[in-house]
Structure formats: structure tokens, C-alpha cells
Amino acid sequence: MATILIIDDSPTNREFLVTLLGYVGHHLLEAADGVEGLAIVRSTRPDLVIADILMPTMDGFEFVRQLRDEPDVAATPVIFYSATYLQGEARALAEACDVHYVLTKPAEPQVVLETVEAALGLAPPLAPPAPSPTETFDREHLRLLTDKLVEKVGELEKANQRLAALVEAGQQLGLEHDPARLLENFCRAARDIIGARVAAIGILDDTGEQLSWLYASGLDPQAAGRLGKSPADQGLFGLVLAERRPRRLHGLNGGPAAAGPPSDYPAIHSLLVAPVASPARAYGCLYLADKLGAEEFGDSDEQLAIALAAQVALAYENAARHDQLQRWNAELENVITELESFSYSVAHDLRAPLRAVIGFATAMLEDFGAQLDAEGQRYLAVIRDNAQNMGRLIDDLLAFSRLGRQSMSSGNVNIATLANTVFEELIQAEPGRKVKLKLGKPPPARGDRAMVRQVLANLLANAIKFTRGRKTAVIEVGGYEGTLENVYSVKDNGAGFDMRYADKLFGVFQRLHPTEEFEGTGIGLSIVRRVIQRHGGRVWAEGEVGRGATFYFTLPPGTKSDEQDGRD
């Protein structure tokens, strides 16, 4: 048996020839390009060389030319194994450099074996045959390689255009939140990118038993309107959905029924169907009919269809979630509006009778108090005090309900100046107390000044109230800039709270301290949270029993120019 050298830059091609020829007893050597192959020829003197043409470093033509220039190996027979030899010019050029056998990829095993036997049976002269004139060979060689390069550049440009279109389609799909428009745009994009005469997309109904063909591109409106529905568990579509992989058909001779679509579909000749599915579930099928400029859809078309269908599945899933979220938000807004209106109405209606209760209880104490014993006077005082407390509670409820309807006027707010102003007003109601305000350098915020003032008033009032047990109360207001939001804090050295109940702090009527110890209605922190949420911010707290508490909130960043001129 003979020693045969295989020169090909494709490991797959080399493996095929090595396996085939090794099976019949030949000894095989391998090289990845002409330079490596030439070195092996010089050192091992093989009986035959099978070489590809278009290879890096040194192509097949140059390899043969240098081989023929070396007397010791010039007579080595060569077979060219390349798809490029479908061209007559390439074959003629090969014969000019004494290569008389050509195998075209892909070749049948029997053809390969017969060609190798014929090449080994030749007895070429030891002296090299007269080569064609160097200039003519070089010119033909260069022309062939240039033609091939132009062809490859054209294929690359086409691939780049498809890739750019695919990326653009993905971006557009990601930005679209309306499921209907998303599917319509996708159908048109898939048809243009893959190059099909017709594209359609079918979506599974709620039962998962029918494919509703909602959108089509490339059909006249009348034909598109006849698409209707298809069973989701039968025919080609059922197979694609069950296996979650694409299918291609060709040579249909215009009959759609055998391929899966309903019989009233337009005539088709080639077909590509891909599943529109995310990792979570299948949503439907992408249907492409009649490849433009070719008899059938190719591997690259199938890969593009897979990529496009996966993109639209995820986009459709997100769009459906967005649509559902919008509906839930609308329903929630309606419920909140109704609750706010109810709270406002009830609170407003309760104020008048409460004023009467407070007024009559006070009048009885003033006008008839002397006629009552101590126990009777205490009863009236309890009635009056509780009615007054309920009045404050109603006022707070009204303030809380108004927050949902109150319009916002956004502007820059100097947090430091506003906090100091609010503190000075609040401390007037605490004569004789030693309360120290440590004002840091919080950055300016952007928001509704009146609402932000209310936040600071509630937090500072709480800090003043819960530090009554301290000989010297210390309250700190600070903040720092974040990337997308500023963070602010109000800290005190007061009673603090148990962090196990931190999630209850901002709920309506939620209190962690008894009324006898610290007065209040349990609405102030709810108002803080509502205001901050309307500004798109967050609010949270940290504390320790007996060691104080810190309340944090975030607001959009303002401009530093306002910090300089003192405006709030």
C-alpha cells in the first residue's frame, strides 16, 4: 500500500480522507497548509499528495509549483480536492502545473478510491514536464485567486448585512411593548432578513390546541384574511411545536396541504417553519414560504430563523407581561382612587359631629363642672380628650388621602436650609428642652417643596418627640449623592425601636410605642412613605431599643447651584 499525504486546512476534510484511505490499507500523513505539506514531502517522499487549493500561508497552486521546481520530488503525483474545481478555468490551470486528477467536494467514497488508484497507477517521468510559461501561470493563478476573493468578500458582505439587520430587529423587538405591533413588525423583518416570498406568524390560543395566523407579510390583504387557524398538534406545525426545532421542505410543487398549512394557503414550493418559543413555553410558529433566488431554504436561513424566533418569543413574553402589568396597575390605581375618595368622604363627614362632641364636653366642664363630683368631671375630660385625639386622627387621614390627588410642582429643594427652617418652627413648641440639631451637608434634591417639607416635618417631629427621655437630645440631618438618586437621613438618640418590627413602621395606624408613652396617630410615617414614593424614591429605617433611630429616604438629585444661593 502507498504513503499518501493529505493537505487541507479543514480537520474534518482531513479526517474523512484519512479514515477512508486508511481503511483500505494506505499509510496516511497530514498537513494543514502548503508550507507544512512541502516540508513533509521533502522528508518522507510520499507516493501521492491530495491537496486542497484555498489554504492559508500557501495555497494548493503554489504548493504544486514549488513541488515541481524540486527535482527530487517533482514527479510526485498530486490530486486536487476542492469545490473550486467546478470552474473550467481552475481545472485548466491545474493541468498546466501537471495535476491531472481533480476531486470535487463533497465526493463519494468510491469516487475518491477510484481516483487515488488511478493516480497511483500512473508512471510519470522522473524529469519534470515542461511547465507553462511563468508569467502566464502567475497571471492565471492570480486571476483565479482574485475571483475567489471577490466571491468570498461578497458572501461576507451579505452575511454582515444579515447580521446588522438581525441586531437591528432584536433592538426594535426589545423596545416594543405592544404584543400586536411586535408580532406584525417581526413578521415583516423575518421575511426581509431571510429572503422569503411570504412570512406568517401563528400564535397558540389559550387552549394550546389551535394556531391563529395573526400576521402575514408578502400576501395581499384578501389572501392574508383567509389564513384562519391550524391545528397545533397535527402536520408539520404540530411536529415543529412538539420537537421545538425547525423543519424545511422543498419541491412541494405548489401544494400547501402536504406541508401542513391549510389548503387555502397560497401555492408554495419551499418551506421553512421554526418554533417561536422561550425556555418557559412555546408561543407559536414562524412560517416562511418560497426562498427568493433559490429553490429551497439553506442552513444559514434556518439558523437565522431560529435566532429571530427566539428573539421574538422573549420579546413577546416580555410584552405580554408588560401588558398584564399595565392592566394590573390601572386596576390598582382605580382601587386606590376609590379608597382615597372614601377615606376623604368619611373623614370629612366625621369632623362636624366631633366638633360638636368636643364643644359640648368643654362647655359642660366650664359651665356645670362645679355641680359634678370629681368622677363626673373626669368622665367629661376623657370624652373631650379622646374626641380631640380623634379629631387629630381625622385631620391626619385627610392629609394622607389628599396626597394621592395633590398635584406636584417639581423644582430644586435645598434640603439643608429647609430642614433647619422646619426644626426651628417645631422646637418652639418644646420650651425648656435641650435639643441639638447637627446639620450636615446634604446635597440638593429635586421634588415638590411643600411635600418634601412635610416629610422633614414628620421625621423631625418624631425625632423631637422620641428624644424626650434624653437630658440632651441630639438630632442629625445628613445625606449624600448617589448615581441615580440622593440618600438623606434623619437620626436621633431617642427611644429607638426593635428592628424585628421595622416593616410595620410605615403602615397606616401602625405604632410601636403606647399612646400613654408617646402621643400620635400612627399616620405620620405613612405620609412620609407616600410622599417619597410619589417622587420615585425609597424609605427605610434602622434602630435599636434605647439607642435611637435613623430614617432614610431618597429623592432625585437637584442642582448644586441652588445649594449655593440658599434657595429651598
Side-chain angles (χ1 to χ4, degrees):
M1 287 293 133
T3 298
I4 302 174
L5 170 62
I6 311 297
I7 307 176
D8 198 313
D9 59 324
S10 169
T12 302
N13 292 339
R14 294 201 305 270
E15 183 180 5
F16 167 70
L17 293 174
V18 167
T19 302
L20 176 64
L21 297 175
Y23 181 77
V24 297
H26 294 298
H27 175 60
L28 281 305
L29 304 173
E30 296 182 57
D33 58 52
V35 172
E36 184 181 358
L38 200 58
I40 294 175
V41 169
R42 291 166 180 158
S43 61
T44 62
R45 307 292 176 88
D47 301 303
L48 175 65
V49 176
I50 302 176
D52 189 16
I53 294 180
L54 295 179
M55 297 181 292
T57 312
M58 181 187 291
D59 62 46
F61 287 123
E62 183 62 24
F63 163 79
V64 172
R65 184 162 61 176
Q66 293 196 26
L67 180 75
R68 299 299 185 228
D69 286 341
E70 297 189 19
D72 292 341
V73 293
T76 305
V78 177
I79 298 174
F80 275 146
Y81 182 55
S82 175
T84 60
Y85 280 91
L86 292 172
Q87 298 184 22
E89 309 99 293
R91 186 178 297 275
L93 191 57
E95 292 178 354
C97 59
D98 197 30
V99 174
H100 301 288
Y101 295 93
V102 175
L103 286 170
T104 302
K105 298 177 184 176
E108 293 293 330
Q110 187 59 37
V111 174
V112 174
L113 294 175
E114 290 175 356
T115 304
V116 168
E117 289 177 3
L120 289 172
L122 293 178
L126 294 178
S132 61
T134 302
E135 291 185 7
T136 302
F137 182 88
D138 288 345
R139 185 170 59 252
E140 291 299 315
H141 181 199
L142 180 61
R143 185 178 65 80
L144 179 64
L145 293 181
T146 302
D147 291 345
K148 284 299 167 188
L149 182 60
V150 170
E151 180 184 331
K152 295 297 181 183
V153 168
E155 292 175 1
L156 183 59
E157 287 179 350
K158 185 177 180 181
N160 284 338
Q161 289 171 355
R162 276 187 158 189
L163 179 60
L166 184 63
V167 171
E168 183 179 359
Q171 292 173 339
Q172 294 300 321
L173 291 175
L175 295 173
E176 182 58 70
H177 295 306
D178 181 80
R181 285 199 301 268
L182 184 146
L183 293 177
E184 184 177 8
N185 294 339
F186 164 74
C187 193
R188 185 168 51 251
R191 174 177 172 244
D192 293 341
I193 292 173
I194 295 178
R197 181 175 61 84
V198 175
I201 185 164
I203 297 298
L204 289 168
D205 61 13
D206 293 337
T207 66
E209 297 176 354
Q210 294 284 327
L211 274 171
S212 297
W213 295 97
L214 303 177
Y215 301 99
S217 178
L219 291 179
D220 61 78
Q222 213 172 20
R226 296 197 307 269
L227 294 185
K229 296 185 177 182
S230 302
D233 59 349
Q234 299 177 17
L236 182 64
F237 300 134
L239 194 63
V240 168
L241 289 171
E243 296 180 349
R244 295 281 190 94
R245 66 185 185 90
R247 289 280 181 164
R248 284 183 280 165
L249 296 176
H250 66 280
L252 301 177
N253 297 321
S263 58
D264 58 353
Y265 262 46
I268 56 176
H269 303 278
S270 60
L271 185 65
L272 169 59
V273 179
V276 176
S278 71
R281 56 167 290 187
Y283 291 98
C285 287
L286 169 64
Y287 164 91
L288 298 158
D290 292 346
K291 173 67 177 177
L292 298 178
E295 293 184 356
E296 61 182 298
F297 293 94
D299 292 340
S300 61
D301 298 319
E302 183 175 307
Q303 293 303 315
L304 277 172
I306 292 172
L308 283 166
Q311 281 185 330
V312 78
L314 291 174
Y316 183 74
E317 193 169 72
N318 291 336
R321 289 173 179 170
H322 181 270
D323 188 55
Q324 182 64 55
L325 186 60
Q326 293 290 91
R327 290 197 296 269
W328 287 343
N329 284 339
E331 293 172 5
L332 183 60
E333 287 289 337
N334 290 334
V335 171
I336 291 173
T337 300
E338 291 174 3
L339 284 174
E340 287 175 346
S341 298
F342 175 76
S343 299
Y344 183 84
S345 177
V346 169
H348 187 272
D349 292 344
L350 286 174
R351 295 181 76 181
L354 270 178
R355 282 196 297 267
V357 171
I358 295 169
F360 282 118
T362 302
M364 286 189 69
L365 280 172
E366 293 175 353
D367 298 341
F368 304 103
Q371 301 176 26
L372 299 173
D373 60 12
E375 189 67 7
Q377 291 180 13
R378 188 180 71 82
Y379 287 161
L380 281 175
V382 169
I383 292 172
R384 181 197 61 195
D385 292 344
N386 278 280
Q388 289 174 341
N389 185 56
M390 188 172 182
R392 288 190 293 270
L393 179 60
I394 290 173
D395 289 339
D396 286 346
L397 271 174
L398 285 172
F400 184 73
S401 65
R402 278 194 294 264
L403 282 175
R405 299 189 303 272
Q406 184 178 341
S407 61
M408 292 177 58
S409 178
S410 185
N412 285 285
V413 182
N414 190 313
I415 298 295
T417 302
L418 187 58
N420 187 65
T421 301
V422 171
F423 177 79
E424 292 297 333
E425 292 173 358
L426 293 173
I427 205 62
Q428 299 300 317
E430 301 283 339
R433 283 195 59 193
K434 291 183 179 179
V435 182
K436 183 179 181 181
L437 177 65
K438 289 185 177 180
L439 193 59
K441 295 182 177 180
R446 184 165 187 82
D448 184 288
R449 182 183 179 281
M451 288 187 175
V452 175
R453 179 187 178 91
Q454 194 169 13
V455 168
L456 291 171
N458 286 2
L459 292 178
L460 288 170
N462 274 356
I464 292 172
K465 177 172 63 177
F466 287 104
T467 55
R468 284 181 186 155
R470 297 290 181 263
K471 184 176 180 181
T472 301
V474 179
I475 300 173
E476 302 177 35
V477 176
Y480 60 88
E481 293 181 345
T483 304
L484 300 176
E485 59 184 6
N486 290 346
V487 180
Y488 302 95
S489 62
V490 176
K491 181 180 180 181
D492 65 65
N493 64 337
F497 63 89
D498 192 330
M499 282 294 292
R500 289 178 299 174
Y501 308 110
D503 58 327
K504 296 184 177 181
L505 281 172
F506 299 96
V508 180
F509 302 136
Q510 295 291 333
R511 292 176 51 82
L512 301 186
H513 301 277
T515 307
E516 295 78 12
E517 185 179 0
F518 296 105
E519 75 281 2
T521 60
I523 294 181
L525 290 178
S526 299
I527 291 175
V528 168
R529 182 175 65 176
R530 176 66 68 86
V531 169
I532 296 303
Q533 285 178 341
R534 288 202 63 186
H535 284 78
R538 302 170 292 127
V539 61
W540 69 98
E542 297 174 356
E544 185 177 350
V545 176
R547 303 194 67 175
T550 304
F551 288 83
Y552 299 92
F553 61 94
T554 65
L555 287 170
T559 57
K560 293 188 176 181
S561 59
D562 294 310
E563 189 178 28
Q564 302 299 325
D565 61 23
R567 287 184 292 158
D568 58 9

